[in-house]
Amino acid sequence: MKNKTFILDFDSTFIQTEALDALAVIALQDHPQRDEIVDQIRQITTAGMDGSMLLTESLTRRLALLQANKKHLDALITILNNIITNSFQRNAQFLKQFSDNIYIISSGFKEYIIPVVRQFGIKDDHVFANTFKFDNENNIVGLDKNNPLSQNQGKVKLVKSLNLAGDIWVIGDGITDYEIREANAAHVFFAFTENISRPAVIAKADHILKNFDEFLYMNDFPRAISYPRNRIKILLLENIHQNGIKLLEKEGYSVETIKGGLGEAELCKKIKDISILGIRSKTSVSKKVLDCAERLIGVGAFCIGTNQIDLETATKNGVCVFNAPYSNTRSVVEMVIGEIIMLMRKVIPKNAELHNGKWDKSANNCYEVRGKKLGIIGYGNIGSQLSVVAESLGLQVYYYDLIERLQLGNAKKCNTLEELLNLSDIVTVHVDGRKQNGNIISKEQFQQMKNNVVFINLSRGHVVDVDALVEALNCGKILGAAIDVFPHEPIDNQETFINPLRGFPNVILSPHIGGSTEEAQLNIGEFVARRIIDYVNAGDSTQSVNLPNIQLPQLQNAHRLIHMHANVPGILAQINQVLANHHVNLLGQYLKTNEDIGYVISDINKEYDKTLLNELREIKHTIKSRVLY
């Protein structure tokens, strides 16, 4: 590192904005035309940065408009300390460790730059910038025009005067940073785009940097994170909620969104270089898709179910799957309650008749829900919460589940499905999407139900034999039905919905919207996004559907080795033998297995021979191995 010098710009590079723009907002706070003047200053700043206005003119015009005083600088410094560029904050240790090699050269002003960069170990005499001129009342009235950085080509003159030895690398976002390279006063110019991307500057750059992590990674310098997050590609399908997207983008990942789902062939093409795939219920993540995914480490199901994902192949390929088992529970429950009332009161057919001009005020086959028997098939998250809400309306609740579950309130367990069907006035299905649940409600089960039963399915389409339901409707067995899920569902809004249940006046058909409320989709978006972030950044597999769940402490002053392997005896011993052979100081180790997969996390001292990573990957039965720091 001795033969390298790093020249960093300050405005919009080291900090996230242009400092004079921020100073204008402070100084003009009470000015009646503040917004107009601040906007004018920003336009002049942009013109100076992209080269369409000479630097001297840009500085002079901005200072004339500022109307700032020395007292405003303390407030400015406070603001700037809160908007230091994220990747520089993450890599503060690098800046401190190699402070001898780092220079800040800026067309900004020392008065606010030095207090901000000093905390990163950058030396005062390595900061080169303009200085303000003040009048007797400490108003800013100009700048020192003898300073080369106030002049056109000033950065070039300044760098040449320093007579720096070795390779000189410039990182900045403006045309004045490129001029150093153009004049051969530096060897390489990196256009920095984490905060702002200027096309005129990018066009002239030797390299384009999404962030400082990328610079450190490209050159294999010490860094805070092992892999630049902008290189982690995330593909989100089916209109994931914007809050989830924002959380992922805030982490610095490259996020692509597609509103609809994708078919298998399309997804196979798209997924080759994708690290994380986000879907809802329409997209099938098949074995073929997973085998085409060369870089995939995780799938986020932004919904409750995961039956649309080949979990067996995902597990064998070391792909961690997350879902949102609780986030839309309330939305589904409320919809079921609403549909029960609408069907028991025959509101749906009466609504259709009234639209056709027919007035039918008859109370025939219209019932209150109070005192009726509600039979819940599946007493999981949704079934159990439905039980509580229904009981508060006066319904008598019965449930059937293959798994022994604690009943809530006064709900009564039925020992068989037939028992539940025989006694229920209303039957609602809330089972998961596993294959074994296919057609659990078919002709035999409809025959076991009471006459004039209300039937509801908001679980999965394949759990009900649709033809048997149609037959039960045609013969008058069923008072009314509400169906939200279907064996085949359109992949997007353009595909026509075809189903034999269409046309029945006493059937509520809805397009798989049981959990489609703003509240539910927001909760799902944020929940799954956070699980993805924890897994990518820290290896935390808590609440994974298919991998052993390990909740990990925060990674501090260590490197984290993640090793995923087939669950066979002796792997942990081999991992530890590799670590011992390299005399690695083990700071913490975590292991969890399921019947298929072993998941080992080893936190080790930062000093180690990097060849041990290859040795870990070469251990027989290894599925995936990566390092985090």
Short mmCIF file of all heavy atoms in Angstrom, two decimals, residues 323-343:
data_model
loop_
_atom_site.label_atom_id
_atom_site.label_comp_id
_atom_site.label_asym_id
_atom_site.label_seq_id
_atom_site.Cartn_x
_atom_site.Cartn_y
_atom_site.Cartn_z
N ASN A 323 -40.70 -17.57 4.13
CA ASN A 323 -42.06 -17.15 3.81
C ASN A 323 -42.56 -16.22 4.91
O ASN A 323 -41.79 -15.80 5.78
CB ASN A 323 -42.98 -18.36 3.63
CG ASN A 323 -43.22 -19.11 4.92
OD1 ASN A 323 -42.44 -19.03 5.87
ND2 ASN A 323 -44.30 -19.88 4.98
N ALA A 324 -43.87 -15.89 4.85
CA ALA A 324 -44.46 -15.00 5.86
C ALA A 324 -45.66 -15.70 6.47
O ALA A 324 -46.80 -15.44 6.08
CB ALA A 324 -44.85 -13.68 5.22
N PRO A 325 -45.45 -16.60 7.42
CA PRO A 325 -46.54 -17.45 7.90
C PRO A 325 -47.61 -16.73 8.71
O PRO A 325 -48.70 -17.26 8.90
CB PRO A 325 -45.82 -18.49 8.77
CG PRO A 325 -44.56 -17.81 9.20
CD PRO A 325 -44.16 -16.93 8.05
N TYR A 326 -47.33 -15.52 9.19
CA TYR A 326 -48.29 -14.85 10.08
C TYR A 326 -48.81 -13.52 9.54
O TYR A 326 -49.83 -13.02 10.01
CB TYR A 326 -47.64 -14.58 11.45
CG TYR A 326 -46.92 -15.76 12.03
CD1 TYR A 326 -45.52 -15.77 12.09
CD2 TYR A 326 -47.61 -16.86 12.50
CE1 TYR A 326 -44.85 -16.86 12.62
CE2 TYR A 326 -46.95 -17.96 13.02
CZ TYR A 326 -45.57 -17.95 13.08
OH TYR A 326 -44.90 -19.03 13.59
N SER A 327 -48.14 -12.96 8.56
CA SER A 327 -48.35 -11.55 8.22
C SER A 327 -49.72 -11.22 7.66
O SER A 327 -50.19 -10.09 7.79
CB SER A 327 -47.27 -11.09 7.24
OG SER A 327 -45.98 -11.24 7.81
N ASN A 328 -50.39 -12.17 6.99
CA ASN A 328 -51.70 -11.84 6.42
C ASN A 328 -52.85 -12.54 7.13
O ASN A 328 -53.98 -12.58 6.64
CB ASN A 328 -51.74 -12.15 4.92
CG ASN A 328 -51.69 -13.64 4.64
OD1 ASN A 328 -51.58 -14.46 5.54
ND2 ASN A 328 -51.75 -13.99 3.37
N THR A 329 -52.58 -13.11 8.31
CA THR A 329 -53.58 -13.90 9.05
C THR A 329 -54.86 -13.10 9.29
O THR A 329 -55.96 -13.56 9.01
CB THR A 329 -52.99 -14.38 10.39
OG1 THR A 329 -51.85 -15.19 10.11
CG2 THR A 329 -53.99 -15.18 11.18
N ARG A 330 -54.71 -11.89 9.82
CA ARG A 330 -55.89 -11.09 10.14
C ARG A 330 -56.71 -10.77 8.91
O ARG A 330 -57.95 -10.79 8.94
CB ARG A 330 -55.45 -9.79 10.84
CG ARG A 330 -56.61 -8.89 11.24
CD ARG A 330 -57.43 -9.49 12.36
NE ARG A 330 -58.63 -8.73 12.64
CZ ARG A 330 -59.39 -8.88 13.71
NH1 ARG A 330 -59.06 -9.77 14.61
NH2 ARG A 330 -60.46 -8.13 13.89
N SER A 331 -56.05 -10.48 7.79
CA SER A 331 -56.77 -10.14 6.56
C SER A 331 -57.64 -11.30 6.09
O SER A 331 -58.79 -11.11 5.69
CB SER A 331 -55.78 -9.75 5.46
OG SER A 331 -55.07 -8.59 5.82
N VAL A 332 -57.09 -12.52 6.13
CA VAL A 332 -57.85 -13.69 5.71
C VAL A 332 -59.03 -13.92 6.65
O VAL A 332 -60.17 -14.19 6.22
CB VAL A 332 -56.95 -14.94 5.67
CG1 VAL A 332 -57.77 -16.19 5.33
CG2 VAL A 332 -55.83 -14.75 4.65
N VAL A 333 -58.79 -13.80 7.94
CA VAL A 333 -59.85 -14.01 8.94
C VAL A 333 -61.01 -13.04 8.71
O VAL A 333 -62.18 -13.44 8.71
CB VAL A 333 -59.29 -13.88 10.37
CG1 VAL A 333 -60.42 -13.79 11.39
CG2 VAL A 333 -58.38 -15.06 10.69
N GLU A 334 -60.71 -11.78 8.50
CA GLU A 334 -61.76 -10.79 8.30
C GLU A 334 -62.58 -11.11 7.05
O GLU A 334 -63.80 -10.94 7.03
CB GLU A 334 -61.17 -9.39 8.22
CG GLU A 334 -60.67 -8.86 9.56
CD GLU A 334 -60.22 -7.41 9.48
OE1 GLU A 334 -60.38 -6.80 8.40
OE2 GLU A 334 -59.74 -6.89 10.50
N MET A 335 -61.91 -11.57 5.99
CA MET A 335 -62.62 -11.89 4.76
C MET A 335 -63.55 -13.08 4.97
O MET A 335 -64.70 -13.09 4.48
CB MET A 335 -61.63 -12.18 3.63
CG MET A 335 -62.28 -12.41 2.29
SD MET A 335 -61.08 -12.18 0.96
CE MET A 335 -61.95 -12.96 -0.40
N VAL A 336 -63.08 -14.09 5.72
CA VAL A 336 -63.94 -15.25 6.00
C VAL A 336 -65.18 -14.82 6.77
O VAL A 336 -66.31 -15.22 6.44
CB VAL A 336 -63.15 -16.33 6.79
CG1 VAL A 336 -64.09 -17.44 7.25
CG2 VAL A 336 -62.03 -16.91 5.94
N ILE A 337 -64.99 -14.01 7.80
CA ILE A 337 -66.13 -13.56 8.60
C ILE A 337 -67.13 -12.80 7.73
O ILE A 337 -68.35 -13.01 7.79
CB ILE A 337 -65.65 -12.65 9.76
CG1 ILE A 337 -64.84 -13.47 10.78
CG2 ILE A 337 -66.83 -11.96 10.44
CD1 ILE A 337 -65.63 -14.52 11.53
N GLY A 338 -66.63 -11.91 6.89
CA GLY A 338 -67.51 -11.15 6.00
C GLY A 338 -68.28 -12.06 5.06
O GLY A 338 -69.48 -11.87 4.83
N GLU A 339 -67.62 -13.06 4.52
CA GLU A 339 -68.27 -13.96 3.57
C GLU A 339 -69.31 -14.85 4.26
O GLU A 339 -70.36 -15.15 3.68
CB GLU A 339 -67.22 -14.79 2.83
CG GLU A 339 -66.41 -13.94 1.86
CD GLU A 339 -65.35 -14.70 1.09
OE1 GLU A 339 -64.87 -15.74 1.60
OE2 GLU A 339 -65.00 -14.26 -0.01
N ILE A 340 -69.00 -15.28 5.48
CA ILE A 340 -69.99 -16.06 6.24
C ILE A 340 -71.29 -15.27 6.38
O ILE A 340 -72.39 -15.77 6.12
CB ILE A 340 -69.44 -16.44 7.63
CG1 ILE A 340 -68.33 -17.50 7.50
CG2 ILE A 340 -70.56 -16.95 8.54
CD1 ILE A 340 -67.61 -17.78 8.81
N ILE A 341 -71.18 -14.02 6.78
CA ILE A 341 -72.37 -13.19 6.99
C ILE A 341 -73.10 -12.96 5.67
O ILE A 341 -74.33 -13.08 5.59
CB ILE A 341 -71.99 -11.86 7.66
CG1 ILE A 341 -71.44 -12.12 9.07
CG2 ILE A 341 -73.18 -10.91 7.71
CD1 ILE A 341 -70.84 -10.91 9.74
N MET A 342 -72.36 -12.63 4.61
CA MET A 342 -72.99 -12.38 3.31
C MET A 342 -73.73 -13.61 2.79
O MET A 342 -74.83 -13.51 2.24
CB MET A 342 -71.92 -11.96 2.28
CG MET A 342 -71.27 -10.61 2.54
SD MET A 342 -72.40 -9.21 2.43
CE MET A 342 -72.73 -8.93 4.18
N LEU A 343 -73.12 -14.79 2.98
CA LEU A 343 -73.74 -16.02 2.48
C LEU A 343 -74.93 -16.45 3.33
O LEU A 343 -75.96 -16.90 2.80
CB LEU A 343 -72.70 -17.15 2.41
CG LEU A 343 -71.60 -16.96 1.37
CD1 LEU A 343 -70.48 -17.97 1.58
CD2 LEU A 343 -72.16 -17.07 -0.05
#
